[in-house]
Amino acid sequence: MAKLVRIALDAMGGDHGPSVVVPGAELALQRRDDISFLFFGDSKLIAPLLASRPQLAARSTVHHTDVAVRMDDKPSQALRSGRRHSSMWLTLDAVRKGEADVAISAGNTGALMAMAKFCLRTMPNIERPAIAAIWPNVRGQSIVLDVGATIGADARQLVDLAIMGSAMARIMFRLERPSVGLLNIGVEEIKGLDDIKTAGRMLREANLPSLSYHGFVEGDDLGRGTVDVVVTEGFSGNIALKTAEGTAKQIAQYLREAMSHGLWSKIGYFFARRAFDKLRVKMDPRNSNGGVFLGLDGVVIKSHGGADPHGYAGAIESGYDMVRYELLGKIKESLALAHATQVGASQVSVAATPL
Amino acid sequence: MAKLVRIALDAMGGDHGPSVVVPGAELALQRRDDISFLFFGDSKLIAPLLASRPQLAARSTVHHTDVAVRMDDKPSQALRSGRRHSSMWLTLDAVRKGEADVAISAGNTGALMAMAKFCLRTMPNIERPAIAAIWPNVRGQSIVLDVGATIGADARQLVDLAIMGSAMARIMFRLERPSVGLLNIGVEEIKGLDDIKTAGRMLREANLPSLSYHGFVEGDDLGRGTVDVVVTEGFSGNIALKTAEGTAKQIAQYLREAMSHGLWSKIGYFFARRAFDKLRVKMDPRNSNGGVFLGLDGVVIKSHGGADPHGYAGAIESGYDMVRYELLGKIKESLALAHATQVGASQVSVAATPL
């Protein structure tokens, strides 16, 4: 058997803590058996859940701490009260110390990012980390980044986002050369900020083997699945993400109202209820799980705070894949190539690393 | 009868031209009878459509031109080939010359905005115009601006957007003091760009009688209807708008697929098809019609290019209301008050102008 992938879990993170994290780990282990787990959190809560799961327990160690970052802690609060001692910090620190290969938390995003920056630092040549979301679309899924780690980005930072996002897409979607679009707005001639234009030119000229630059995309290309990776700075990315989630909820409510008005609709709902159940699953953001923090010197996965064990297992599997298929190595390699191209080397031709 | 509201129509604008514009005008006239129309476009196409509608014809004049801006013309192209002669230009020019009270076009947005800026100029004290969209939400509707006229906005420009949007909301939703939120992103402490923070402080301190400042809102507040007016600069506003439209289409496709798989779903669809029809209407962006151009020295309404006569009539009615209830006057009054407050006058207390 290959070396185990060692996964550090913040057992106290998320709306449900260990009662989701432990069963989630069990599900993940059933699907990929070369995993070991490090649980960080209140052992009084974790131990009984492991006791009833001997197979999981055999692959797990529990590291007790009383301190937990709350879902509503501000990042600075979390850092002040939770640094060094909280389950979130210890989960990240296990990666820093080389005791784990990936850190997973369903805790609050701002605190997790602040701690991750502090604990793991950014990769060489990367100034700022990003959060990459997995975005469902009519053709399947795409990766959208940055959805809120950092406000604003210059051309070079947008190119870095493209490189990091496409490394993630190569792993997640098993693609050799994912297509990448820069998010922009419609009217041809005011088309966008100079930084976006420059980034587009840089990506086209670099002609990297690890990604295929598509050009500009617009907000409606997200749902359409026009490209595998959509790149934008964190302000507009976060607004796009939240707007899409809000629109999905809004339409779900319209649908509920439509189906509960009048006898015929109710009868229709009765017959089609399985289809509605499937649709509900498809529209639930908790099910496209595993936001990935990119640009850090370590792999960190943010699970949705409201995820159920199934959703949490999805986040674990994302983390597993990012380790198994060497996310950090892929990013570093692409970055080095892009930077080499930029300093004036003639057209570099290196085959894309196969998955 | 009150003075007629004189409405200039770009008969050639939109995907369907006069075949939608003329019947749309007829529908609007049936609902508000104090309107007169000026049609600009190809009289060979317009005249026969009017001939079969004597009531509308009695209130209409036709102004012939052969030149029409195409839906795919770039703004600069449109200005070059369509200035002075195109139906779009002549429609706007009728407002400039005081021959019409409002200009309505379903033509391409970029061209219409470029021509409107050129022809009508901006209001005193407004540097840049904005496009305000009417956004359906679970509580009804809200106004979101800017959805793409201008990229970027400083604090003062955001305050101007708040003032213009709330003037529109007072008219459109018959509110005395609409609530206004500034679109921002979630994490408490990186919460946003300095300009947004400053704009928030300015709006809170100004405590204007024409709007009630709510605070920051996020992308998912759009569908939720948290506030009556959502203010953001044109880049993120356009991305939010397109993302929401794309998400609605995406879910509509999921729904179609769900309802066409399996016998029970098909039976369910059969019974509930009226509910689905209503839902489809609700989700169709062509039905929340009448984007309003704000900040220009004249009232301009952009109808959706794909609107049907019913949707086009909605745009006409929006334009009618903006004239009848004095959009420009309301904006000017609020602006003057805000600027007075800003230059250091003590707390100004002026009752909101009743509708």
Side-chain angles (χ1 to χ4, degrees):
Chain A
M1 192 165 70
K3 217 175 128 220
L4 297 182
V5 173
R6 301 161 306 163
I7 298 183
L9 301 175
D10 171 10
M12 313 313 283
D15 300 340
H16 313 292
S19 69
V20 158
V21 173
V22 177
E26 183 182 32
L27 283 171
L29 186 61
Q30 284 163 6
R31 284 180 262 173
R32 326 237 159 161
D33 77 342
D34 53 340
I35 308 183
S36 67
F37 292 105
L38 298 82
F39 289 92
F40 294 89
D42 186 342
S43 60
K44 288 189 303 299
L45 297 173
I46 301 166
L49 290 162
L50 281 178
S52 59
R53 295 171 170 85
Q55 225 167 350
L56 175 64
R59 289 285 182 82
S60 302
T61 51
V62 178
H63 307 262
H64 176 76
T65 175
D66 284 329
V67 185
V69 170
R70 280 185 313 244
M71 291 307 272
D72 57 351
D73 276 350
K74 293 184 183 175
S76 60
Q77 258 177 338
L79 267 176
R80 224 169 17 245
S81 62
R83 212 176 116 204
R84 313 230 175 274
H85 305 295
S86 66
S87 60
M88 187 183 276
W89 176 275
L90 294 170
T91 302
L92 295 162
D93 206 40
V95 172
R96 187 188 63 80
K97 292 192 286 188
E99 294 167 2
D101 301 305
V102 47
I104 298 175
S105 175
N108 98 54
T109 310
L112 185 62
M113 180 50 92
M115 283 198 178
K117 276 196 277 195
F118 206 90
C119 181
L120 296 171
R121 308 279 164 186
T122 53
M123 298 172 88
N125 289 318
I126 292 285
E127 288 158 48
R128 313 194 290 186
I131 303 173
I134 299 158
W135 195 291
N137 60 52
V138 296
R139 293 175 51 224
Q141 292 183 318
S142 55
I143 287 165
V144 180
L145 76 168
D146 173 22
V147 295
T150 313
I151 291 174
D154 62 22
R156 171 69 170 272
Q157 288 160 340
L158 289 169
V159 170
D160 290 346
L161 289 175
I163 287 169
M164 297 194 293
S166 53
M168 180 174 155
R170 286 164 68 195
I171 296 172
M172 188 148 268
F173 308 141
R174 310 280 192 272
L175 294 170
E176 270 198 27
R177 208 178 178 209
S179 57
V180 175
L182 291 171
L183 193 60
N184 204 342
I185 73 172
V187 185
E188 276 300 325
E189 280 157 41
I190 60 161
K191 239 198 205 323
L193 309 155
D194 286 339
D195 283 316
I196 300 178
K197 289 184 200 167
T198 308
R201 207 161 43 235
M202 286 164 71
L203 283 169
R204 201 175 294 287
E205 282 166 10
N207 190 24
L208 295 169
S210 59
L211 64 88
S212 159
Y213 177 60
H214 167 92
F216 297 146
V217 294
E218 294 189 48
D220 49 351
D221 288 303
L222 290 163
R224 206 178 279 144
T226 308
V227 290
D228 301 311
V229 181
V230 176
V231 170
T232 187
E233 56 77 40
F235 186 82
S236 48
N238 185 273
I239 283 173
L241 180 71
K242 293 274 178 69
T243 300
E245 287 183 2
T247 304
K249 276 188 203 159
Q250 175 184 357
I251 295 173
Q253 179 157 338
Y254 288 166
L255 193 57
R256 265 194 308 279
E257 285 166 7
M259 289 300 121
S260 60
H261 272 75
L263 183 62
W264 296 123
S265 306
K266 285 179 191 160
I267 294 172
Y269 179 78
F270 177 80
F271 281 106
R273 65 195 185 283
R274 285 217 180 151
F276 282 114
D277 287 345
K278 272 192 214 158
L279 184 67
R280 196 171 298 128
V281 170
K282 220 164 178 174
M283 285 171 63
D284 190 335
R286 290 174 303 178
N287 294 315
S288 29
N289 207 3
V292 178
F293 287 7
L294 295 172
L296 296 165
D297 210 358
V299 184
V300 180
I301 310 286
K302 164 71 174 82
S303 165
H304 199 289
D308 62 10
H310 185 80
Y312 196 86
I316 292 176
E317 288 169 284
S318 296
Y320 172 97
D321 285 351
M322 295 303 143
V323 173
R324 238 338 149 226
Y325 301 107
E326 297 174 7
L327 176 68
L328 298 187
K330 284 191 165 61
I331 292 175
K332 281 174 189 164
E333 185 192 15
S334 285
L335 279 177
L337 196 54
H339 294 177
T341 312
Q342 232 177 355
V343 293
S346 59
Q347 194 60 45
V348 186
S349 81
V350 175
T353 324
L355 267 177
Chain B
M1 194 167 69
K3 217 174 126 220
L4 297 182
V5 174
R6 301 161 305 164
I7 298 182
L9 301 176
D10 170 10
M12 312 313 284
D15 301 338
H16 313 292
S19 68
V20 158
V21 173
V22 176
E26 183 182 33
L27 282 171
L29 186 61
Q30 283 163 5
R31 284 179 264 172
R32 327 235 159 163
D33 77 342
D34 52 341
I35 309 182
S36 66
F37 292 105
L38 297 81
F39 289 92
F40 294 89
D42 186 342
S43 60
K44 287 188 304 299
L45 298 173
I46 302 165
L49 290 162
L50 280 179
S52 59
R53 294 171 171 83
Q55 224 166 352
L56 175 64
R59 289 286 183 80
S60 302
T61 50
V62 178
H63 306 262
H64 176 78
T65 173
D66 283 327
V67 185
V69 170
R70 278 184 313 245
M71 290 308 271
D72 58 352
D73 276 350
K74 293 185 182 176
S76 60
Q77 259 177 337
L79 267 175
R80 223 172 15 247
S81 63
R83 212 175 116 204
R84 312 230 177 274
H85 305 294
S86 66
S87 61
M88 187 183 275
W89 177 275
L90 294 171
T91 303
L92 295 162
D93 206 41
V95 172
R96 187 188 63 80
K97 292 193 286 189
E99 293 167 3
D101 301 305
V102 48
I104 297 176
S105 175
N108 99 55
T109 310
L112 184 62
M113 180 51 93
M115 283 198 178
K117 277 197 276 195
F118 206 91
C119 181
L120 296 171
R121 309 279 164 186
T122 53
M123 298 173 88
N125 289 317
I126 292 284
E127 289 157 49
R128 312 194 291 186
I131 303 173
I134 299 158
W135 195 292
N137 60 53
V138 296
R139 293 174 54 225
Q141 292 183 319
S142 54
I143 287 165
V144 180
L145 75 167
D146 172 23
V147 295
T150 313
I151 291 174
D154 63 22
R156 170 68 171 274
Q157 287 160 340
L158 288 169
V159 169
D160 289 346
L161 289 175
I163 287 169
M164 296 194 294
S166 53
M168 180 174 153
R170 286 163 69 196
I171 295 172
M172 188 147 269
F173 309 141
R174 310 282 193 270
L175 294 169
E176 270 199 27
R177 209 178 177 210
S179 58
V180 175
L182 291 171
L183 192 60
N184 204 342
I185 72 172
V187 185
E188 276 298 326
E189 281 158 39
I190 60 162
K191 242 196 205 318
L193 310 156
D194 285 340
D195 283 316
I196 301 178
K197 289 183 198 169
T198 308
R201 208 161 43 236
M202 285 164 73
L203 284 169
R204 201 174 295 287
E205 282 166 10
N207 191 23
L208 295 169
S210 59
L211 64 91
S212 161
Y213 176 59
H214 166 92
F216 296 146
V217 294
E218 295 189 47
D220 50 351
D221 289 302
L222 291 163
R224 206 179 278 143
T226 309
V227 290
D228 302 311
V229 181
V230 175
V231 169
T232 188
E233 55 78 40
F235 186 82
S236 48
N238 185 274
I239 283 174
L241 180 71
K242 294 272 178 72
T243 301
E245 287 183 2
T247 304
K249 276 189 205 157
Q250 176 184 357
I251 295 174
Q253 180 157 339
Y254 288 167
L255 193 57
R256 264 194 308 278
E257 286 167 9
M259 289 300 121
S260 60
H261 273 75
L263 183 62
W264 296 122
S265 307
K266 284 180 192 159
I267 293 173
Y269 179 78
F270 177 79
F271 280 107
R273 64 195 185 283
R274 285 220 180 148
F276 282 115
D277 287 344
K278 272 193 213 160
L279 184 67
R280 196 170 299 128
V281 170
K282 220 164 177 172
M283 285 170 63
D284 190 335
R286 290 174 304 178
N287 294 313
S288 29
N289 208 3
V292 178
F293 286 7
L294 295 173
L296 296 165
D297 211 359
V299 184
V300 180
I301 309 287
K302 163 72 174 84
S303 166
H304 198 290
D308 63 9
H310 185 81
Y312 196 86
I316 293 175
E317 288 170 283
S318 296
Y320 172 97
D321 284 353
M322 295 303 144
V323 173
R324 235 342 148 224
Y325 301 108
E326 297 174 8
L327 175 69
L328 299 186
K330 283 190 166 61
I331 292 176
K332 281 174 189 164
E333 185 192 16
S334 286
L335 279 178
L337 198 53
H339 294 176
T341 313
Q342 233 178 352
V343 294
S346 59
Q347 195 58 45
V348 186
S349 82
V350 175
T353 324
L355 267 176

